[in-house]
Amino acid sequence: MTKRKAPVITIDGASGTGKGTITHCIAKKLGWNFLDSGVLYRVLAFAAEKHGILLEDEAALTTLAEQLDILFSSEAILFEGQEITDLIRTEKIGNSASKASVFPGVRTALLSRQRAFQKMPGLVADGRDMGTVVFPDAEVKIFLTASPEERARRRYNQLNMKGIHVNLAALTEELRERDRRDQERAVAPLKPALDAVLINTDPLTIEEVVERVMRALEKAKKQ
């Protein structure tokens, strides 16, 4: 008897579109597992900085990605025994992760790690290529969009609440640059899957986005 694969919902989009928040909400609502694929790239960027590896060195980054000593728990992320949960959430690490993610070797090295999260009763995965590359057979594929200005405002407010003061205009420009890198990379560029449901989160509340994702899931179940 063939073992049935766990169902998957993918939620892709650029940084600041709300995909992390929505992924957690949907996973909690369904009682499913969740994957924040961006964390793997952020851990890689942190590891590269810690071990003095240049972000332009694809071979060294690929080797590092293959050997990453990561441990995930419900409360923390550990790298080589060190808790780095908050350390990898900086804008600097985010930009470094974006630069490292352009290399085919790096993406291939992390692919099996991401697919290992597909376990029963189901998985909600967020990222930039979840629906196009990592889980192309997902039952439901969502692609979130939002304007750079709105995304920068959200991030600005998040950082201010943590006591981190940044320049809003600079933050907006950084997001535009990250979008360009993600959209133009040769392997697994940021784009919606052909069968993805597009949701513009600019005018919507978290609850409204969650409702639309759940409607898409219900529709998929009936097909």
Side-chain angles (χ1 to χ4, degrees):
M1 182 181 293
T2 304
K3 186 178 180 181
R4 188 170 73 90
K5 282 189 175 182
V8 178
I9 297 174
T10 60
I11 300 180
D12 289 311
S15 177
T17 52
K19 59 185 185 294
T21 300
I22 300 304
T23 296
H24 279 82
C25 288
I26 298 296
K28 184 176 181 181
K29 196 177 187 71
L30 295 173
W32 287 10
N33 303 299
F34 70 88
L35 165 63
D36 178 352
S37 66
V39 163
L40 291 171
Y41 291 96
R42 284 176 176 268
V43 173
L44 177 62
F46 178 88
E49 183 176 292
K50 181 176 180 179
H51 293 291
I53 295 175
L54 298 177
L55 295 174
E56 297 79 21
D57 190 339
E58 180 179 2
L61 283 173
T62 299
T63 299
L64 185 62
E66 292 170 344
Q67 301 172 353
L68 277 182
D69 179 8
I70 314 173
L71 179 63
F72 293 97
S73 74
S74 58
E75 301 296 332
I77 300 165
L78 301 179
F79 170 67
E80 296 180 349
Q82 175 189 1
E83 182 179 344
I84 60 170
T85 312
D86 294 328
L87 296 178
I88 62 172
R89 291 300 182 184
T90 65
E91 291 303 301
K92 178 183 177 183
I93 290 295
N95 282 322
S96 295
S98 175
K99 292 175 182 176
S101 71
V102 303
F103 296 119
V106 168
R107 303 197 73 84
T108 298
L110 295 179
L111 188 60
S112 61
R113 285 180 180 261
Q114 294 173 72
R115 287 179 172 163
F117 281 81
Q118 187 177 0
K119 298 177 181 178
M120 287 298 200
L123 173 68
V124 188
D126 102 61
R128 287 167 172 74
D129 63 344
M130 295 295 100
T132 53
V133 175
V134 183
F135 301 107
D137 297 326
E139 280 73 8
V140 176
K141 300 173 186 177
I142 304 294
F143 193 89
L144 302 182
T145 65
S147 67
E149 292 77 15
E150 173 62 19
R151 289 154 48 209
R153 186 190 65 79
R154 292 172 185 172
R155 185 61 178 155
Y156 178 83
N157 290 337
Q158 286 177 342
L159 293 172
N160 269 345
M161 287 177 64
K162 295 179 180 179
I164 303 172
H165 301 291
V166 293
N167 181 278
L168 182 58
L171 196 57
T172 305
E173 188 54 38
E174 285 177 8
L175 283 173
R176 290 183 189 279
E177 175 61 23
R178 195 183 303 182
D179 288 350
R180 185 193 63 76
R181 270 199 309 271
D182 291 342
Q183 291 165 353
E184 295 179 1
R185 65 184 177 224
V187 178
L190 171 65
K191 64 178 182 179
L194 294 177
D195 53 347
V197 176
L198 274 60
I199 302 176
N200 178 3
T201 66
D202 270 359
L204 303 176
T205 64
I206 293 172
E207 293 75 17
E208 288 171 332
V209 177
V210 168
E211 182 183 348
R212 293 194 182 194
V213 175
M214 292 302 296
R215 284 209 303 262
L217 178 58
E218 288 303 316
K219 182 178 179 180
K221 287 180 179 179
K222 296 175 182 178
Q223 293 177 344

